[in-house]
Amino acid sequence: MSILGLHKPSWLLLIVLWLLTSSTAFADTRSLVLVTSETSPALELSGKEIRWLFMGLPVVKAGQRIEPLINATTPLVYEVFLQKVIYMSAQNYERRLVVRAFRLGGRRPEKYDNQVTLLRNLRENPNAVTFMWQDDAQRQAKIKIVTELWSGKIK
Amino acid sequence: MKCRINMMLKQCCLLAIVTTLAFMPAAHAKGEWWLFTDVTATKRDLPPSLVGKMEELDFSPSVALFGNLNKGDFQVLFGGVISDDEAEIERLQLGWNINPTNTLWFGRFHNPFDYWTSKFHHGLYFQTSQLRPGSVEFEDEGGVMPLHLSGFLLEGLYPTRGMGGIRYDLALGVGPSVGNSAAGSVLDAPTALSLFEKRREHKLAATAKVAYLPDAVAEEELGLFISRVVIPTEELVFIRGDITQTSVGVFGNWQYERIQLFGTAMFMRHEQNVSVLNQSGSEFMRLNMGSGYIQGEYTLTPRWRGYARLESTRGAENDPYIQSFAMYIKKRQLLGFRYDFYHNQALKMEISRAEHQHGDDAFNAVSLQWSALFR
């Protein structure tokens, strides 16, 4: 059987090629940003400080200890943050936090799977920071973007 | 035994008082409790010289509870272990975060020397292997080093260039004394209240440790330590007075892709007055020894890991102090595999060849351990 003069193996190949190339066309370009409360003083954090912060290590700015809030409201935002900013798998990251608390005590960064609670705690604590998609952050009131953490295509 | 139970009750009361005072009015207090469980089955191929001194077939379950409570600038760490042959409060320490990089602890804590104890404490699930190295074995398991101290511990982490950091620990308190058990001499570690005892069974101990971490959020480190402890030896008839134990060592942990290597090498000096046979006097002896271990691990898959360890002690043959610890492991080679499954559970299969302080006959052992962390 032929379609438009092409034999079956040929048009099957064309469909496969189209699917392969079109998948990149569907890839979504998104930016992950670090956000804080609108009432927070101007905050500058280096890549090292952000990594220290979310690994539970102390980071102090203007005499105040910065408190990281882990955004796990969607698996994607959590996974992209760990892969692109912390450079660890979720399993490895959580194990490191647990081992650290076991060795030295102290509070582990709080993990939130409810966006309402996350945003409420972020707005109430001027020393708290979290991460979220840039378009999400721009839609939320009373928070501000500190810096862009990562930008790229998500397949 | 009654005395031990009394001491445990006192420590439990102390924990209850400290945590109640610290956290009762605390709406913002945060706390977490974790439970470690493990069961180990061991089959030993004992030579005739060790038959009757050790179990050929051993089955030992244990449970460890870990608590971490925080309120403001204060925190409490608690670690307790219950097994078939002991029930002990291992860590009970109250901490004050002087600033974000420095914490001052008071109570009973693990002596911060070495790599192993500072990293794994009593969390068998966290250590890849089943067994601890003999040189850093716990006091009641045949260890000769002071693993628990009671007093003050200052620790901190300072950032360096790049992602690195310098971690330090300074401990000052009281250490163990020598006691007796069915298996020979054993170190009696201090309790959280030993610092306040009228009868000074425990004497001064001090440790300083510093480590460089190339990436403070990773696990690689290279460090040095020095420790000095005065150990009362009333239970040893052939040693008069106290022993002063000084140890200096280097430790490190290196990782490259799937390979991990870590270990400790230490030099120890024992200064002691040894009784002279058939005479009333004693002879002052200053004896040196060295011990260390190195463990290599290879991650085969995310769930499977293979590992091997070499341990050795040299120069202990003529040391009366070391000679009194019959269960001290002076040499061991082991090989094992670890399989992680479900959620925070692991199976470890291990074969080993070990040599105790008493008896030159080495023996082989094969063991299987299930360990888990519930939190």
Side-chain angles (χ1 to χ4, degrees):
Chain A
M1 180 186 163
S2 69
I3 298 171
L4 299 173
L6 293 173
H7 291 289
K8 188 177 177 182
S10 308
W11 59 258
L12 272 176
L13 185 67
L14 279 175
I15 289 171
V16 170
L17 280 172
W18 177 77
L19 282 172
L20 283 174
T21 52
S22 63
S23 64
T24 54
F26 289 135
D28 197 6
T29 302
R30 300 193 81 176
S31 293
L32 194 66
V33 293
L34 190 75
V35 294
T36 186
S37 162
E38 198 180 53
T39 57
S40 300
L43 187 63
E44 276 186 31
L45 289 166
S46 65
K48 171 188 175 175
E49 287 171 325
I50 292 166
R51 209 164 159 234
W52 271 51
L53 193 59
F54 282 91
M55 288 302 298
L57 295 167
V59 173
V60 180
K61 291 284 171 179
Q64 297 294 321
R65 184 170 175 165
I66 308 299
E67 193 178 324
L69 311 180
I70 299 172
N71 179 356
T73 54
T74 68
L76 186 64
V77 73
Y78 181 52
E79 195 178 317
V80 169
F81 174 74
L82 294 183
Q83 295 283 338
K84 305 296 182 184
V85 181
I86 304 292
Y87 311 118
M88 276 183 204
S89 67
Q91 188 188 6
N92 209 354
Y93 175 66
E94 281 160 25
R95 184 184 158 86
R96 291 275 173 89
L97 291 183
V98 165
V99 168
R100 186 179 154 72
F102 182 63
R103 283 178 80 173
L104 305 165
R107 285 188 194 179
R108 283 184 291 149
E110 292 263 6
K111 190 175 172 183
Y112 293 86
D113 50 16
N114 181 302
Q115 195 177 30
V116 175
T117 318
L118 171 70
L119 287 168
R120 189 178 62 228
N121 285 354
L122 184 71
R123 285 169 184 141
E124 284 175 358
N125 183 355
N127 296 317
V129 294
T130 190
F131 52 89
M132 60 178 60
W133 298 120
Q134 187 176 26
D135 46 6
D136 280 348
Q138 285 164 344
R139 277 197 297 272
Q140 302 299 334
K142 295 181 181 173
I143 65 169
K144 63 183 178 187
I145 295 173
V146 176
T147 186
E148 183 181 85
L149 297 170
W150 174 83
S151 181
K153 287 182 175 178
I154 299 167
K155 292 175 187 175
Chain B
M1 184 68 187
K2 191 179 174 185
C3 180
R4 205 175 174 86
I5 290 169
N6 280 341
M7 194 51 75
M8 273 202 63
L9 283 173
K10 280 183 187 172
Q11 289 191 69
C12 286
C13 289
L14 182 71
L15 174 72
I17 292 165
V18 167
T19 48
T20 306
L21 286 177
F23 302 110
M24 193 173 64
H28 300 291
K30 303 274 180 178
E32 52 190 347
W33 292 92
W34 304 344
L35 191 71
F36 292 87
T37 57
D38 58 87
V39 180
T40 309
T42 307
K43 168 80 175 77
R44 297 183 184 91
D45 182 15
L46 294 177
S49 61
L50 288 173
V51 172
K53 293 179 183 169
M54 295 182 75
E55 301 274 351
E56 280 195 71
L57 192 62
D58 198 13
F59 183 78
S60 54
S62 81
V63 175
L65 182 68
F66 169 74
N68 175 18
L69 308 168
N70 293 270
K71 185 201 165 193
D73 289 334
F74 293 92
Q75 49 183 318
V76 172
L77 281 186
F78 169 84
V81 172
I82 298 174
S83 70
D84 54 340
D85 61 356
E86 70 163 331
E88 192 173 356
I89 292 175
E90 301 288 351
R91 281 201 277 176
L92 178 54
Q93 46 190 111
L94 175 66
W96 169 43
N97 301 322
I98 303 166
N99 54 44
T101 49
N102 296 285
T103 304
L104 179 65
W105 295 95
F106 170 74
R108 188 191 207 231
F109 49 85
H110 283 137
N111 192 352
F113 83 102
D114 179 47
Y115 177 79
W116 196 283
T117 307
S118 301
K119 184 163 185 196
F120 304 120
H121 298 278
H122 290 266
L124 274 184
Y125 169 76
F126 285 137
Q127 63 187 48
T128 303
S129 63
Q130 292 179 21
L131 301 166
R132 299 172 65 84
S135 57
V136 290
E137 188 52 271
F138 287 118
E139 293 95 335
D140 49 5
E141 301 288 337
V144 297
M145 301 285 292
L147 262 71
H148 295 88
L149 302 182
S150 180
F152 295 91
L153 171 66
L154 182 66
E155 64 179 21
L157 173 68
Y158 285 91
T160 57
R161 291 177 67 184
M163 289 297 294
I166 302 274
R167 182 186 301 286
Y168 78 90
D169 293 85
L170 296 170
L172 185 66
V174 292
S177 58
V178 178
N180 271 321
S181 76
S185 295
V186 66
L187 284 178
D188 278 338
T191 67
L193 298 169
S194 293
L195 210 54
F196 307 110
E197 283 171 2
K198 282 181 189 166
R199 189 166 161 255
R200 300 305 300 271
E201 284 180 9
H202 304 277
K203 293 194 175 176
L204 192 66
T207 298
K209 182 172 88 170
V210 64
Y212 171 65
L213 295 78
D215 181 350
V217 302
E219 292 183 347
E220 283 185 296
E221 60 184 301
L222 182 66
L224 300 163
F225 65 84
I226 180 163
S227 179
R228 191 172 171 90
V229 56
V230 178
I231 306 173
T233 61
E234 281 175 28
E235 301 288 340
L236 296 180
V237 290
F238 49 87
I239 295 177
R240 299 200 172 170
D242 304 332
I243 286 178
T244 302
Q245 182 187 72
T246 307
S247 52
V248 180
V250 57
F251 63 93
N253 175 24
W254 173 80
Q255 277 177 284
Y256 179 72
E257 294 184 351
R258 294 173 172 224
I259 300 167
Q260 183 179 7
L261 275 179
F262 62 90
T264 294
M266 63 182 144
F267 163 85
M268 250 188 285
R269 170 170 287 176
H270 291 126
E271 292 163 286
Q272 53 204 314
N273 283 303
V274 180
S275 305
V276 180
L277 201 62
N278 298 328
Q279 289 182 27
S280 58
S282 61
E283 181 189 352
F284 178 74
M285 293 177 83
R286 185 179 283 141
L287 296 157
N288 300 329
M289 60 176 270
S291 72
Y293 64 87
I294 183 161
Q295 180 161 320
E297 300 181 9
Y298 186 81
T299 305
L300 299 156
T301 72
R303 289 184 182 276
W304 281 97
R305 182 173 273 226
Y307 57 93
R309 188 168 75 223
L310 289 174
E311 302 172 34
S312 185
T313 297
R314 296 287 174 93
E317 297 78 15
N318 301 315
D319 188 330
Y321 171 72
I322 299 291
Q323 288 292 320
S324 67
F325 293 85
M327 301 310 287
Y328 177 66
I329 300 281
K330 58 182 180 183
K331 275 184 188 172
R332 180 156 55 198
Q333 304 97 45
L334 67 81
L335 185 71
F337 288 93
R338 174 189 172 116
Y339 175 66
D340 280 274
F341 64 102
Y342 199 50
H343 195 66
N344 293 336
Q345 298 195 43
L347 268 181
K348 305 170 194 177
M349 294 137 277
E350 215 164 271
I351 53 169
S352 63
R353 183 169 179 80
E355 216 174 284
H356 276 167
Q357 187 56 39
H358 275 196
D360 289 329
D361 298 324
F363 63 91
N364 299 327
V366 56
S367 53
L368 180 69
Q369 183 183 75
W370 165 79
S371 61
L373 165 63
F374 300 99
R375 61 185 178 88

